[in-house]
Amino acid sequence: MANSEIAKVSDITVTDVTDYLRIPEVTAEDTALLTTALNVAKQFVMSYTGLDAEGMDAHEDLVIVIYVLCSSMYDNRAYYVDKSNINNVVESILNLHSINLLPQE
């Protein structure tokens, strides 16, 4: 599936991430790193926004957030997201969908 066709976070595969990153020859090490990065990115988005997996799927723009987070983790070879140094576009999109910021009733 081409990256432009993905409309839900749950549809993103490691192959989609490697295509997005334009990795010419994917090694087993790359696959392992990106599998973990993809899982961490999804968990980060859920934690940041308060959305569950179904809630993330309702927002197509979160797909690019997952790609950007995976790219950052791949480039830095780190399995975490530094909230104090998050990409401005990623933060803006996440803030649009964050239910954690809403007052509790």
Side-chain angles (χ1 to χ4, degrees):
M1 183 180 294
N3 289 328
S4 61
E5 296 173 14
I6 296 176
K8 298 188 303 186
V9 169
S10 64
D11 289 341
I12 302 171
T13 66
V14 171
T15 301
D16 297 320
V17 175
T18 59
D19 290 348
Y20 174 79
L21 297 176
R22 297 183 181 162
I23 301 172
E25 291 187 35
V26 181
T27 65
E29 182 181 334
D30 290 331
T31 299
L33 176 85
L34 291 171
T35 298
T36 301
L38 181 57
N39 291 330
V40 169
K42 289 177 181 181
Q43 288 300 314
F44 176 77
V45 171
M46 285 191 282
S47 175
Y48 188 102
T49 62
L51 297 170
D52 59 11
E54 187 177 317
M56 287 193 308
D57 281 349
H59 304 288
E60 189 173 339
D61 53 350
L62 291 177
V63 170
I64 193 63
V65 169
I66 299 296
Y67 285 138
V68 171
L69 291 173
C70 288
S71 175
S72 178
M73 285 185 263
Y74 181 79
D75 291 344
N76 297 313
R77 300 301 194 267
Y79 296 125
Y80 66 91
V81 179
D82 181 2
K83 286 186 179 181
S84 65
N85 195 23
I86 194 167
N87 176 299
N88 289 336
V89 173
V90 167
E91 185 174 32
S92 295
I93 293 170
L94 290 175
N95 285 341
L96 287 172
H97 305 297
S98 183
I99 61 175
N100 287 338
L101 300 176
L102 299 176
Q104 299 297 317
E105 295 184 37

